[in-house]
């Protein structure tokens, strides 16, 4: 009988976006792959999929039903390994797996950036820190994706082991630089002028992602860099607010709200710089994709951005939520194509050396294999 692994997250799109190479890896090892998450999306490399009503809010009563369903699934399927992701996917899966873990199931949890962070607001520390600390005792391996989270978890949590992995990995063949002429042609195909200075940011429109900072910075350079264009991909509750803010700042002709896009691998490489304004990040995929595409980065300081962006090597980190400081760096990049080129080349090297899918798959497969050797087929022999 084939060994089985269960992947669990709040929503199934999480696996489509970030984890297909790892589902595929398990299939290649001869394992049966199961997924439990909210949603009805079809996923490749998956033998069995459950639509579980997991909700993002820890206070939503539907999570009680989701917990019961997860517990039943785990009881019926005798998993050798469970790998859970996202805050609520991680909470419910680890609670539900307490009994099956006693029988030998190994439980792995990836924290894609704790909701609490050094210097962050008090509320996440009051709500999420005690939950993560408590559940760590039901965790065989806690995977963190930035150094700050790794140090905190190593010191204060009680998972059997804590490991540091370089994110979810970026496909460096899908996201790669364009030659200068190709870039100009690509810009024209999307309706831009060849010499437009395209700034790119993909993120949900919410308070944390902080797109308003980018609009205010753009307003400060619109006289000096009139050919600048800010491309904002994504949807969210603050989208209309940002549209209105762009109008107030008389920037509507310089900002494109792209909505939800499936063609980022076409859009990102044609841009001239990546910008990132979020207040909190774990290890942002949007920045890694931009770096893989050879773009310099200007980013607001946070633990995830600091992990990726090195001042004067592949971009600049802005230490305060300050539109003027951000604008100053954007204006500098617009006028220094040689520096932009150097930053872009360095950024791609950083991604290929540490953050590519191949590198991350090696890190994760080491973890998986260590537990495969421990579990084998023996654990269920008595049942």
């Amino acid at each position: 009988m084939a060994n089985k692994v269960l992947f669990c997250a709040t929503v199934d799109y999480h696996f489509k976006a970030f984890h297909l190479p790892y589902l595929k890896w398990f299939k290649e090892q001869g394992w049966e792959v199961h997924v439990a998450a909210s949603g009805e999306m079809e996923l490749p490399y998956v033998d069995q999929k459950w639509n579980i009503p997991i909700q993002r809010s820890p206070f939503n009563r539907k999570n009680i039903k989701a917990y019961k369903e997860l517990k039943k699934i785990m009881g019926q399927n005798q998993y050798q390994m469970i790998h859970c992701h996202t805050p609520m996917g991680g909470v419910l899966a680890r609670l539900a797996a307490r009994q099956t873990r006693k029988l030998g199931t190994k439980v792995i949890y990836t924290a894609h950036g704790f909701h609490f962070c050094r210097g962050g607001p008090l509320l996440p520390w009051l709500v999420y820190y005690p939950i993560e600390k408590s559940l760590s005792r039901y965790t065989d391996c806690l995977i963190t994706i930035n150094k700050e989270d790794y140090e905190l978890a190593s010191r204060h949590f009680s998972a059997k082991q804590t490991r540091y992995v370089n994110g979810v990995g970026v496909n460096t063949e899908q996201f790669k630089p364009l030659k200068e002429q190709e870039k100009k042609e690509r810009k024209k195909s999307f309706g831009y002028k060849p010499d437009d200075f395209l700034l790119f940011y993909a993120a949900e429109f919410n308070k944390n992602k902080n797109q308003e900072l980018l609009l205010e910075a753009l307003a400060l350079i619109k006289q000096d860099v009139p050919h600048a264009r800010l491309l904002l991909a994504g949807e969210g509750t603050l989208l209309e607010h940002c549209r209105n803010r762009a109008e107030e700042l008389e920037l509507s002709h310089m900002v494109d709200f792209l909505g939800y896009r499936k063609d980022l691998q076409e859009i990102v490489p044609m841009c001239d710089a990546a910008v990132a304004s979020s207040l909190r990040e774990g290890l942002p995929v949007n920045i890694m994709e931009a770096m893989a595409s050879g773009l310099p980065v200007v980013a607001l300081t946070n633990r995830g951005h600091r992990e990726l962006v090195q001042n004067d090597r592949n971009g600049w980190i802005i230490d305060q939520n300050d539109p003027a400081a951000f604008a100053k760096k954007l204006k500098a990049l617009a006028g220094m194509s040689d520096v932009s080129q150097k930053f872009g080349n360095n950024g791609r090297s950083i991604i290929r050396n540490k953050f590519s899918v191949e590198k991350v798959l090696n890190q994760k497969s080491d973890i998986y294999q260590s537990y495969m050797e421990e579990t084998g087929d023996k654990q269920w022999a008595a049942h």
Side-chain angles (χ1 to χ4, degrees):
M1 196 170 81
N3 288 328
K4 295 179 188 174
V5 60
L6 174 69
F7 283 85
C8 181
T10 306
V11 293
D12 54 11
Y13 178 75
H14 184 81
F15 295 109
K16 172 84 181 295
F18 304 122
H19 299 294
L20 294 186
Y22 313 106
L23 304 182
K24 183 184 179 205
W25 183 86
F26 269 99
K27 288 299 294 175
E28 288 169 349
Q29 311 310 306
W31 281 49
E32 201 172 301
V33 176
H34 294 196
V35 166
S38 178
E40 297 182 357
M41 178 180 284
E42 281 194 28
L43 296 171
Y45 318 118
V46 173
D47 298 288
Q48 181 75 52
K49 184 169 178 290
W50 285 277
N51 182 357
I52 307 288
I54 302 174
Q55 305 296 308
R56 280 197 171 94
S57 168
F59 308 112
N60 192 307
R61 291 182 64 82
K62 285 185 180 176
N63 283 322
I64 297 170
K65 184 183 179 204
Y67 162 74
K68 289 177 179 175
E69 288 184 26
L70 279 172
K71 195 172 178 187
K72 184 179 175 186
I73 289 163
M74 291 174 188
Q76 289 173 342
N77 283 280
Q78 303 182 346
Y79 294 109
Q80 277 70 31
M81 211 177 297
I82 296 169
H83 192 169
C84 47
H85 301 264
T86 68
M88 284 313 297
V91 166
L92 296 175
R94 285 182 289 173
L95 285 174
R98 283 173 297 176
Q99 192 59 40
T100 190
R101 191 166 168 260
K102 289 175 185 174
L103 301 173
T105 301
K106 299 302 178 184
V107 176
I108 302 170
Y109 168 56
T110 297
H112 295 270
F114 291 129
H115 272 22
F116 44 89
C117 55
R118 197 170 58 221
L122 180 60
L123 188 61
W125 282 97
L126 293 174
V127 174
Y128 290 101
Y129 179 81
I131 293 172
E132 292 285 6
K133 185 175 173 69
S134 171
L135 288 174
S136 66
R137 68 180 184 269
Y138 305 124
T139 311
D140 291 290
C141 182
L142 171 56
I143 295 175
T144 58
I145 62 171
N146 61 63
K147 293 189 180 79
E148 185 181 310
D149 284 355
Y150 174 75
E151 287 163 10
L152 184 149
S154 299
R155 285 202 304 268
H156 300 294
F157 292 175
S158 52
K160 279 197 170 179
Q161 69 165 319
T162 302
R163 297 283 290 266
Y164 169 61
V165 166
N166 293 325
V168 294
V170 176
N171 186 328
T172 54
E173 282 306 302
Q174 212 174 24
F175 289 90
K176 59 185 178 183
L178 294 175
K179 293 182 176 147
E180 194 172 343
Q181 192 54 40
E182 288 177 310
K183 190 174 248 196
K184 288 179 178 178
E185 294 299 326
R186 182 78 58 85
K187 284 181 181 181
K188 285 199 285 188
S189 75
F190 276 87
Y192 298 102
K193 294 175 184 168
D195 64 341
D196 279 347
F197 182 61
L198 302 186
L199 306 169
F200 184 77
Y201 186 45
E204 183 181 345
F205 283 82
N206 60 37
K207 192 174 177 184
N208 176 55
K209 300 301 184 183
N210 194 27
Q211 283 92 341
E212 199 166 343
L213 169 73
L214 302 177
L215 297 172
E216 290 170 1
L218 185 63
L220 294 172
I221 66 167
K222 68 178 179 179
Q223 301 300 330
D224 297 311
V225 194
H227 59 299
R229 299 289 180 272
L230 176 60
L231 281 56
L232 297 174
E235 298 170 335
T237 52
L238 292 183
L239 175 56
E240 283 310 308
H241 171 78
C242 287
R243 280 190 201 276
N244 294 335
R245 190 76 184 110
E247 283 184 27
E248 287 169 15
L249 295 167
E250 299 181 352
L251 291 173
S252 295
H253 64 295
M254 299 178 76
V255 183
D256 284 334
F257 295 92
L258 304 179
Y260 173 73
R261 301 297 292 238
K262 292 184 177 178
D263 57 349
L264 292 185
Q265 70 273 17
E266 301 294 317
I267 295 172
V268 177
M270 77 173 177
C271 294
D272 298 288
V275 289
S277 49
S278 45
L279 305 170
R280 186 192 75 248
E281 288 288 357
L283 194 73
V285 172
N286 58 346
I287 296 298
M288 291 192 281
E289 289 172 347
M291 288 168 61
S293 302
L295 272 58
V297 183
V298 181
L300 193 63
T301 189
N302 65 48
R303 66 191 159 175
H305 291 164
R306 288 192 297 269
E307 199 92 355
L308 295 168
V309 184
Q310 300 170 31
N311 273 326
D312 297 319
R313 185 179 177 203
N314 65 311
W316 289 303
I317 290 281
I318 309 301
D319 286 331
Q320 291 178 309
N321 192 14
D322 177 4
F326 215 101
K328 185 179 177 184
K329 293 302 186 186
L330 295 180
K331 184 179 168 184
L333 267 187
M336 297 190 296
S337 59
D338 54 336
V339 171
S340 286
Q341 184 72 40
K342 183 186 85 168
F343 285 180
N345 291 341
N346 290 342
R348 181 160 172 85
S349 293
I350 291 168
I351 295 298
R352 292 181 74 179
N353 290 336
K354 285 181 68 177
F355 300 99
S356 68
V357 166
E358 292 79 14
K359 299 287 185 186
V360 176
L361 185 54
N362 285 339
Q363 290 181 307
K364 281 194 177 175
S365 60
D366 281 348
I367 295 170
Y368 292 144
Q369 280 172 327
S370 69
Y371 290 119
M372 286 174 176
E373 288 161 14
E374 278 186 45
T375 56
D377 284 318
K378 297 190 293 289
Q379 70 187 88
W380 298 99
H383 299 278

